[in-house]
């Protein structure tokens, strides 16, 4: 069969229907997947952990792997938060290279991220307010916070705060756990 | 006066009727099959592009795949769906490079029945980690409790480069056990410096990703 007779045998109407239906289904399926947040990291952790409280989870291991592809290269503290009733206040110390703090929207997109530098420790001080224009009271006076490098206010109705302490090996674990345990997220006035 | 000639009505023969019905049925079956296959192709292509990425959403550096707009506001729908459906918690691509490898440098699927050598260059000043998972993102249980190496825990070569080995049997040095896991996925995370990384520096970093070499299979 030569090329000409091959093309003559194709039903072009069916071919167009095929391409059109496949394209429509592809687009619909993709957007359904975007909006299906049931398996997202936020949804999984929000089901398991208390809200508006920083929780240091067990060291990641095959028995304690809270999320897929979560490596035991770090200890983690999570805080699923909602700012529906009041603003959130977040404070964390990032003492050395590899320490990070990230704030994620429920869909997994990053709202805020900071990493420590190698030569000095960094204290992160964040206020998270709802993204609408609600009045949540007057901001508290906070003149006496020494050593705070990053005081910022960000807007997010809900999401996930993740503080990450890199695993440097057994001799450092107790010290890292102690610093990680001091990370806080609490609801209250800004 | 005009006259109208009326032709006599001839009922279709049984054979012609059967042919017409068969032709209509054949077309209906063809159309149904076309739509069914198109629906299957549409679903499969979407799921593949969401789970594995494509040229629209990922960059490849040898065996390493990188979702270029991961965690960013303007990410494409495939990237957003990938994060939403996989349950991964990943640092955004403007703050870290997160790379996944499912094959070695020659394109063969990573598998726990084989031994691999991963050779990385000196990444001084950056924090990185290399972890191995099974195909579903689970850690591979082992008696040595080894699942990952980081910039802090790897034993580097004198020039700062490093070698990590994957395999079933214990080896000296930076060995990650993979026994019984089946297909493997390597995840390399490289944090950007706290001062950020320019696009040029990021491109330079991506050129120096570790090489994955298969040593042998059993």
């Amino acid at each position: 069969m030569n090329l000409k007779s091959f093309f003559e045998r194709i039903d072009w109407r069916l071919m167009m229907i095929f391409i059109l239906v496949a394209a429509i289904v592809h687009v619909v399926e993709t957007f359904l997947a975007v909006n299906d947040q049931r398996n997202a990291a936020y949804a999984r952790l929000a089901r398991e952990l208390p809200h508006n409280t920083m929780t240091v989870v067990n060291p990641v291991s095959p028995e304690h792997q809270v999320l897929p592809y979560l490596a035991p290269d770090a200890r983690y503290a999570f805080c699923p938060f909602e700012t529906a009733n009041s603003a959130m206040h977040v404070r964390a110390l990032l003492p050395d290279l590899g320490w990070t703090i990230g704030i994620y929207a429920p869909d997994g997109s990053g709202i805020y991220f900071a990493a420590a530098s190698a030569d000095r420790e960094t204290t992160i001080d964040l206020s998270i307010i709802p993204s609408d224009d609600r009045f949540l009271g007057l901001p508290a006076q906070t003149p006496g916070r020494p050593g705070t490098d990053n005081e910022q206010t960000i807007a997010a109705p809900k999401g996930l705060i993740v503080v990450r302490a890199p695993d440097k090996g057994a001799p450092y674990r107790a010290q890292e756990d102690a610093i990680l345990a001091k990370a806080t997220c609490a609801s209250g006035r800004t | 006066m005009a006259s109208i000639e009326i032709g006599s009505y001839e009922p279709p023969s049984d054979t012609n009727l059967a042919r017409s019905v068969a032709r209509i049925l054949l077309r209906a079956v063809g159309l149904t099959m076309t739509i069914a296959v198109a629906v299957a192709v549409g679903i499969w292509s979407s799921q593949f592009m969401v789970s594995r990425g494509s040229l629209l959403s990922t960059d490849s550096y040898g065996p390493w795949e990188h979702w270029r707009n991961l965690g960013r506001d303007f990410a494409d729908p495939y990237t957003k769906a990938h994060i939403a459906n996989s349950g991964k918690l990943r640092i955004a691509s403007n703050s870290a490079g997160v790379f996944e490898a499912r094959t070695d440098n020659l394109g063969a699927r990573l598998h726990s029945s084989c031994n691999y050598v991963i050779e990385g260059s000196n990444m001084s000043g950056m924090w990185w980690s290399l972890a191995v998972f099974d195909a579903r993102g689970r850690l591979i249980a082992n008696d040595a409790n080894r699942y990952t190496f980081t910039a802090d825990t790897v034993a580097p070569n004198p020039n700062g480069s490093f070698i990590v080995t994957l395999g079933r049997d214990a080896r000296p040095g930076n060995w990650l056990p993979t026994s019984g896991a089946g297909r493997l996925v390597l995840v390399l995370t490289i944090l950007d410096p706290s001062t950020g990384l320019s696009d040029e520096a990021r491109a330079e970093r991506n050129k120096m990703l570790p090489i994955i070499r298969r040593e042998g299979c059993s």
Side-chain angles (χ1 to χ4, degrees):
Chain A
M1 182 176 24
N2 61 26
L3 206 60
K4 191 181 170 192
S5 64
F6 171 75
F7 280 111
E8 280 171 358
R9 286 172 66 96
I10 292 176
D11 186 335
W12 290 103
R13 277 185 306 180
L14 275 186
M15 185 61 84
M16 291 306 296
I17 290 170
F18 175 86
I19 292 169
L20 198 66
V21 171
I24 290 169
V25 170
H26 179 99
V27 170
V28 170
E29 173 76 8
T30 302
F31 280 95
L32 285 176
V34 170
N35 292 305
D36 181 5
Q37 308 282 340
R38 287 171 297 174
N39 286 325
Y42 170 80
R44 290 175 190 229
L45 293 172
R47 281 194 292 266
E48 307 269 328
L49 301 175
H51 286 222
N52 298 350
T53 303
M54 192 70 80
T55 307
V56 180
V57 296
N58 289 325
V60 180
S61 67
E63 297 79 30
H64 296 107
Q65 192 181 355
V66 289
L67 295 171
Y69 295 100
L70 191 69
D73 56 5
R75 291 290 311 273
Y76 293 90
F78 296 111
C79 174
F81 69 88
E82 281 186 36
T83 54
N85 299 320
S86 65
M88 291 291 304
H89 188 75
V90 185
R91 194 171 165 87
L93 174 68
L94 310 180
D96 200 1
L97 193 67
W99 283 73
T100 64
I101 181 169
I103 300 178
Y104 297 85
D107 66 0
S109 56
I111 300 170
Y112 174 88
F113 184 82
S117 57
D119 45 358
R120 72 186 188 99
E121 34 181 67
T122 310
T123 303
I124 303 294
D125 208 338
L126 291 172
S127 295
I128 309 175
I129 56 170
S131 43
D132 54 28
D133 292 331
R134 260 176 299 156
F135 179 69
L136 294 169
L138 294 170
Q141 296 296 310
T142 55
R145 284 184 186 155
T148 298
D149 305 283
N150 293 284
E151 277 194 41
Q152 288 186 42
T153 300
I154 55 177
K158 59 181 179 176
L160 181 68
I161 302 161
V162 182
V163 183
R164 197 173 164 284
D167 181 23
K168 289 186 167 185
Y172 299 92
R173 268 179 205 141
Q175 187 190 358
E176 289 185 329
D177 286 354
I179 297 171
L180 190 61
K182 287 180 184 168
T184 58
C185 81
S187 55
R189 287 182 172 187
T190 55
Chain B
M1 187 185 221
S3 64
I4 300 171
E5 197 173 308
I6 299 172
S8 61
Y9 170 73
E10 287 184 27
S13 68
D14 288 349
T15 317
N16 285 345
L17 188 66
R19 275 185 188 159
S20 299
V21 171
R23 201 175 297 128
I24 290 167
L25 277 176
L26 207 63
R27 281 194 173 182
V29 169
L31 185 64
T32 309
M33 295 255 303
T34 301
I35 290 172
V37 174
V39 168
V41 167
I43 291 173
W44 174 83
S45 60
S46 167
Q47 290 181 348
F48 184 84
M49 288 174 74
V50 166
S51 64
R52 292 297 176 81
S54 67
L55 290 174
L56 295 174
S57 52
T58 57
D59 295 319
S60 295
Y61 305 96
W64 299 100
E65 297 277 332
H66 176 243
W67 291 78
R68 75 176 73 92
N69 290 320
L70 196 78
R72 301 176 87 162
D73 278 346
F74 53 82
D76 56 276
Y78 300 106
T79 303
K80 287 185 172 178
H82 177 74
I83 282 296
N85 290 294
S86 65
K88 293 174 183 173
L89 185 68
R90 290 282 162 84
I91 300 169
S93 59
N94 54 353
S95 303
V98 184
F99 304 89
E100 287 184 9
R102 289 181 160 80
T103 66
D104 62 18
N105 268 63
L106 295 177
R109 203 76 171 74
L110 298 178
H111 199 276
S112 61
S113 60
C114 299
N115 296 324
Y116 298 94
V117 174
I118 301 154
E119 297 172 46
S121 55
N122 186 348
M123 290 191 270
S124 64
M126 293 198 202
W127 188 92
W128 58 266
S129 81
L130 179 70
V132 63
F133 300 91
D134 69 10
R136 295 177 65 188
R138 296 174 302 198
L139 292 167
I140 302 163
N142 63 83
D143 293 337
N145 290 327
R146 288 187 177 200
Y147 315 101
T148 182
F149 283 107
T150 73
D152 298 313
T153 59
V154 76
N157 297 324
N159 64 359
S161 64
F162 64 89
I163 291 177
V164 172
T165 56
L166 303 182
R168 286 189 296 191
D169 303 318
R171 290 167 156 220
N174 306 309
W175 166 63
L176 290 176
T178 56
S179 182
R183 290 183 167 183
L184 305 174
V185 180
L186 280 168
V187 178
L188 175 68
T189 305
I190 308 173
L191 278 184
D192 289 1
S194 57
T195 49
L197 210 56
S198 67
D199 288 344
E200 292 78 21
R202 196 166 279 135
E204 205 57 38
R205 176 198 68 191
N206 296 346
K207 285 181 196 167
M208 299 174 69
L209 297 178
I211 293 165
I212 306 170
R213 188 162 43 81
R214 190 171 74 180
E215 279 204 319
C217 301
S218 52

